[in-house]
Amino acid sequence: RMGGAGWLRVAAAAGCAAVTCALATAMVARRVVAWRRWLRAMAVLRDVEESFATPTERLQRVVNSLAVEMFAGLASEDASKVRMLLTCVDSLPDGSEEGIYYAVDIGGTGFRFLKVQLGPGSTIINQKIERQPVKKELMEGTSEDFFNSIASTLKNFIEREGDEGRALGFTFSFPVRQFSITSGSLIRWTKEFSIEDAIGQDVAQCLNEALERNGLNLKVNALMNNTVGTLALGHYYDEDTIAAVIIGAGTNACYIERNEAITKCQCLLTNSGQTVVNVEWGSFRPPQIPLTPYDICFYNETTNYYDQGFEKMISGVYLGEIARLVFHKMAQESDVFGTDVDGLAIPFILSTPCLAAIREDDSLDLKEVGSILEEQLKIHNVPLKTRRLVQRVCDIITQRAARLAAAGIVAILQKLGRDGTLCGTTRVRSMTGVPKRSAIAIDGCLYQEYSVFREYLNEAVLEILGEEIAATVVLKVVEEGSGMGAALIAATYSSTRNNSI
Ligand code: BGC
């Protein structure tokens, strides 16, 4: 028989067991909740994986539609999603240029000032490049302030460098309708620039006036898009260079076209019978690629809303932001980033170089991913499995971007009948039917500095073209192509020589 104390012990034991049981149940319940939240984050990931997918067959259709748009853009103005702007460049440097030339390169994230000394036989004897990041106020201010700032920095640069060279190449990396090699009006801004009063202005004249205001006795000898500068430098070293591509803050391409193919301008007379066409492929919207909720959401917060669809899926101004939007969604759906996630609500807080660094972190514990989340987004102590998730998202976004850029490159080859499908003109094929060697010059930090991006792009070109044709295509990094090429074209156009393409 149990005494009173015995009953008490039993009751205490039972109480303990009940408490332990309740604690265990609470823990299990918490784990279930955490697991469910994790599953919700995984569901977001699965959705991103599906909606960002670019299988080869879909890419091939993107190639075909861009090539069709290119044909339409050559047939008439405003008939196409791509502008196919005529650049007034019908001569490219051939390596015989000599002398000292200056160039100003206005890109998406910065200004570059160059002094280049050219010698015979494609020799660059000397080059000096100064870089200056562009301030946000200038990107949104007045045209006068913008061009004054360029002119005064150029003046300082020339004063430091000595006043020898006279010809000036001007790379202006926005859509411009050119009237001549030395003039052209800005059609619109892209890459989040918005200097309203510059639209419709002759940008070469704006720079000339600012140079005069700053007491510089210098005028623009050649105005060009950055793709055209890149083509010039590519061609300087390799005559088989038929096109150039920029994949940096923005994206675009240009290529050498036969005048007869440019039906919108039938009386085009050039010495070479060819003209460089600036595709402006950033404004292409591939109908085969669905806009994801992240693309849509982000369209609402950028200056040119629904325009520049291709550019927004590919280029450096935007990729980091797409990733931020995915992480924000994950943070709303789950607690994978913890509770202190205000950083994720700030537009454009995650830059594309950070996205690249996250993707390229190959340490076992993804240390770099952790520090970027801490430093850029102020999210602390992110567990390893979430860091893996973050890396996977950056990978998916990179892959779609690189594969779409690859489709763009193949579309140009198709337009020129060099992709093996005979969809374009067959004239450029040699008589034996063996495709010609095609070199494509590529400039821009995404392709140059982000090796994963480069590998995905190269892989996709191979995938779309197949081995045999891909073997005839050379993708070449042309560093500082846009600025150096401007100096080269200034040299070509300020000399009396006649360098046919
Ligand atoms: C512009 C192009 C430029 C490209 C790359 C785009 O936003 O419209 O003119 O070539 O960016 O910088």
Side-chain angles (χ1 to χ4, degrees):
R1 283 185 49 208
M2 246 191 292
W7 281 114
L8 269 177
R9 271 200 302 275
V10 170
C16 272
V19 169
T20 315
C21 199
L23 279 176
T25 314
M27 261 168 63
V28 170
R30 259 207 308 276
R31 286 220 178 118
V32 169
V33 170
W35 180 241
R36 282 208 187 115
R37 288 200 185 128
W38 175 254
L39 286 184
R40 284 209 291 271
M42 293 307 286
V44 174
L45 177 67
R46 261 197 313 280
D47 187 51
V48 170
E49 270 169 345
E50 271 164 33
S51 55
F52 280 66
T54 48
T56 323
E57 173 267 338
R58 196 179 292 173
L59 279 188
Q60 184 63 64
R61 284 191 285 128
V62 172
V63 170
N64 299 342
S65 13
L66 179 52
V68 167
E69 292 293 335
M70 289 171 70
F71 273 103
L74 289 178
S76 69
E77 294 296 347
D78 304 322
S80 161
K81 294 196 187 89
V82 290
R83 286 201 168 82
M84 304 299 278
L85 299 169
L86 309 187
T87 61
C88 300
V89 172
D90 65 335
S91 298
L92 287 172
D94 60 6
S96 59
E97 298 71 16
E98 287 182 64
I100 295 179
Y101 300 91
Y102 284 97
V104 172
D105 176 5
I106 307 304
T109 50
F111 301 155
R112 282 180 169 82
F113 301 89
L114 299 93
K115 181 185 177 187
V116 183
Q117 184 177 1
L118 305 171
S122 291
T123 320
I124 295 182
I125 299 170
N126 244 314
Q127 70 186 67
K128 179 79 198 279
I129 305 178
E130 255 179 42
R131 300 176 179 81
Q132 197 188 59
V134 52
K135 295 199 189 88
K136 185 90 181 132
E137 308 92 79
L138 277 185
M139 287 167 67
E140 295 165 353
T142 66
S143 159
E144 192 172 320
D145 287 348
F146 184 73
F147 287 101
N148 261 345
S149 157
I150 300 168
S152 71
T153 321
L154 177 64
K155 185 180 181 194
N156 295 337
F157 179 71
I158 292 181
E159 277 169 5
R160 275 195 303 279
E161 287 304 311
D163 193 20
E164 304 115 303
R166 284 269 63 103
L168 175 67
F170 180 25
T171 302
F172 189 72
S173 314
F174 301 91
V176 164
R177 197 169 306 286
Q178 292 219 215
F179 313 126
S180 69
I181 187 67
T182 54
S183 62
S185 73
L186 172 62
I187 299 173
R188 55 169 304 179
W189 290 104
T190 54
K191 296 175 281 200
E192 308 304 298
F193 276 68
S194 57
I195 305 166
E196 292 306 317
D197 67 336
I199 296 173
Q201 303 267 347
D202 177 347
V203 288
Q205 194 189 335
C206 290
L207 183 58
N208 285 338
E209 284 166 8
L211 292 173
E212 205 181 320
R213 279 197 295 277
N214 280 269
L216 260 181
N217 178 23
L218 197 63
K219 274 198 175 359
V220 173
N221 293 79
L223 165 69
M224 77 211 66
N225 188 259
N226 52 355
T227 51
V228 181
T230 304
L231 179 66
L233 187 58
H235 200 267
Y236 186 66
Y237 289 126
D238 181 346
E239 280 193 352
D240 288 343
T241 309
I242 47 140
V245 172
I246 302 279
I247 317 172
T251 185
N252 189 15
C254 76
Y255 73 103
I256 303 169
E257 183 57 279
R258 291 173 302 117
N259 288 354
E260 303 120 68
I262 308 174
T263 40
K264 67 181 170 186
C265 198
Q266 302 235 323
C267 48
L268 200 62
L269 280 179
T270 61
N271 296 323
S272 60
Q274 306 190 87
T275 297
V276 175
V277 174
N278 168 9
V279 179
E280 283 296 331
W281 77 20
S283 55
F284 174 53
R285 173 97 72 78
Q288 301 78 8
I289 304 294
L291 276 185
T292 68
Y294 311 100
D295 297 310
I296 290 166
C297 175
F298 146 71
Y299 273 76
N300 297 333
E301 63 192 36
T302 62
T303 48
N304 46 13
Y305 305 107
Y306 284 91
D307 298 330
Q308 299 296 106
F310 208 46
E311 178 157 273
K312 284 176 176 167
M313 291 179 178
I314 295 176
S315 79
V317 172
Y318 305 102
L319 297 192
E321 175 61 359
I322 299 177
R324 184 207 54 96
L325 285 163
V326 176
F327 301 150
H328 190 224
K329 171 79 173 162
M330 284 179 166
Q332 283 170 336
E333 294 284 311
S334 73
D335 59 355
V336 287
F337 290 105
T339 47
D340 196 6
V341 289
D342 291 352
L344 283 176
I346 306 171
F348 290 96
I349 185 101
L350 187 70
S351 68
T352 299
C354 284
L355 169 137
I358 289 177
R359 173 57 186 84
E360 295 199 317
D361 182 0
D362 55 7
S363 65
L364 279 179
D365 58 350
L366 298 181
K367 197 159 171 275
E368 181 66 13
V369 177
S371 0
I372 292 174
L373 293 173
E374 294 234 9
E375 282 154 29
Q376 307 297 317
L377 304 170
K378 311 286 174 247
I379 304 176
H380 308 285
N381 306 321
V382 176
L384 184 57
K385 69 175 184 177
T386 304
R387 278 179 268 157
R388 288 207 185 101
L389 194 68
V390 164
Q391 191 172 54
R392 176 76 187 115
V393 169
C394 293
D395 182 55
I396 297 169
I397 293 168
T398 303
Q399 204 169 11
R400 181 181 73 166
R403 290 174 68 80
L404 286 176
I409 292 173
V410 179
I412 291 184
L413 293 168
Q414 182 174 109
K415 171 68 195 67
L416 292 173
R418 291 177 181 234
D419 70 332
T421 63
L422 295 179
C423 283
T425 163
T426 52
R427 275 189 49 143
V428 284
R429 288 181 153 243
S430 65
M431 295 308 282
T432 58
V434 178
K436 284 187 174 179
R437 177 176 177 272
S438 309
I440 316 254
I442 311 186
D443 193 7
C445 52
L446 266 173
Y447 189 77
Q448 267 174 32
E449 289 162 25
Y450 186 7
S451 59
V452 171
F453 187 99
R454 194 168 53 241
E455 280 155 23
Y456 280 148
L457 186 151
N458 295 348
E459 213 174 86
V461 168
L462 179 67
E463 215 175 281
I464 309 171
L465 287 177
E467 262 175 44
E468 198 192 335
I469 301 293
T472 65
V473 176
V474 190
L475 304 181
K476 276 194 177 172
V477 170
V478 174
E479 252 178 85
E480 295 294 344
S482 55
M484 296 288 288
L488 286 171
I489 294 200
T492 308
Y493 279 86
S494 59
S495 76
T496 47
R497 285 174 314 97
N498 191 0
N499 309 336
S500 300
I501 288 176

